[in-house]
Amino acid sequence: MTNPAYDAPLSGPPLSRRDEVLRSTVRLARLIFSAPASSVFLHDAAGEALVLEAISDPREDSLVGWTIPDYSGIAGWVFQSGEAVIADDLDNHPQFNRDFAASTGRIPKAILAAPLDTGGSVFGVLEVLDPVLGPRSTTSGLELVSELARQCAAALALAGPLPGPAGRHAAAAERLTTLVADLASTDDPNAARTLASLEEIASALSSRRG
């Protein structure tokens, strides 16, 4: 039996591997926690912002692309701290960005969130709005959303360069590795010194990949 709220076919052009991972993650999170909505924010280092890249919500097409400062709201708190949280008293929570929530048309009473990270570098946040948690399921809820965030981060790393420092280091390492290969195939006597230097830089950058 299908549920139109979760299983509606996607319209438009085929999704990239990255977007498939994001869409699958938010839909799975919504199902697991019987929540009305879930979302993934990815960090935009240049803009110092968290960008809403995917959301499982009937209005997902109109909300994707919205941004908040990377220190704002529960998502900003998780991004800065690198820790999963359950914020279940949002009316009195100092980090809750009520104005942003109101602008989306949904003001939750609780948020369950976990960081997306690779190699210790946080590059995004997974949020679940108003998760259904039993009175004794707080710990298991944190463990479950954290594991889902880890799986999402790993899948995104396989799908392409990650945002933030991890992605920049990986992309730079790949470009330098290509240049090293080109230099190694030439007979230019001056290439040896350049090649040795580039090999050291490429090795250092590769060691920092997530």
Side-chain angles (χ1 to χ4, degrees):
M1 181 176 180
T2 62
N3 185 333
Y6 301 117
D7 303 318
L10 298 174
S11 59
L15 296 175
S16 66
R17 174 58 181 159
R18 170 182 172 278
D19 288 339
E20 286 180 354
V21 170
L22 292 171
R23 289 282 187 95
S24 296
T25 298
V26 294
R27 289 186 174 191
L28 181 57
R30 187 178 177 188
L31 282 168
I32 288 173
F33 293 101
S34 300
S38 63
S39 58
V40 168
F41 291 85
L42 296 183
H43 188 234
D44 172 14
E48 298 183 338
L50 290 171
V51 183
L52 186 56
E53 294 283 358
I55 182 169
S56 181
D57 182 282
R59 301 151 300 140
E60 58 188 26
D61 291 336
S62 65
L63 297 177
V64 168
W66 286 29
T67 65
I68 58 172
D70 60 13
Y71 56 82
S72 177
I74 303 301
W77 184 28
V78 171
F79 175 75
Q80 297 292 339
S81 69
E83 299 290 336
V85 299
I86 293 179
D88 56 5
D89 184 16
L90 294 180
D91 286 338
N92 298 304
H93 201 293
Q95 296 294 333
F96 180 51
N97 189 335
R98 177 171 290 275
D99 290 340
F100 177 78
S103 69
T104 69
R106 186 186 298 279
I107 301 179
K109 295 181 179 180
I111 293 177
L112 175 63
L116 303 179
D117 71 82
T118 179
S121 176
V122 178
F123 64 89
V125 177
L126 168 64
E127 280 193 341
V128 183
L129 276 59
D130 291 322
V132 176
L133 298 171
R136 297 184 180 181
S137 62
T138 297
T139 300
S140 61
L142 283 172
E143 292 174 348
L144 188 54
V145 76
S146 296
E147 180 59 29
L148 186 55
R150 282 191 291 269
Q151 295 300 324
C152 177
L156 286 173
L158 293 174
L162 297 171
R168 290 197 299 273
H169 293 318
E174 289 173 1
R175 290 194 296 271
L176 283 173
T177 299
T178 300
L179 181 56
V180 165
D182 290 341
L183 285 171
S185 65
T186 70
D187 297 325
D188 186 345
N190 295 319
R193 183 177 300 174
T194 302
L195 179 59
S197 297
L198 287 176
E199 284 178 333
E200 291 180 5
I201 296 171
S203 177
L205 287 171
S206 295
S207 68
R208 298 177 68 177
R209 292 189 190 192

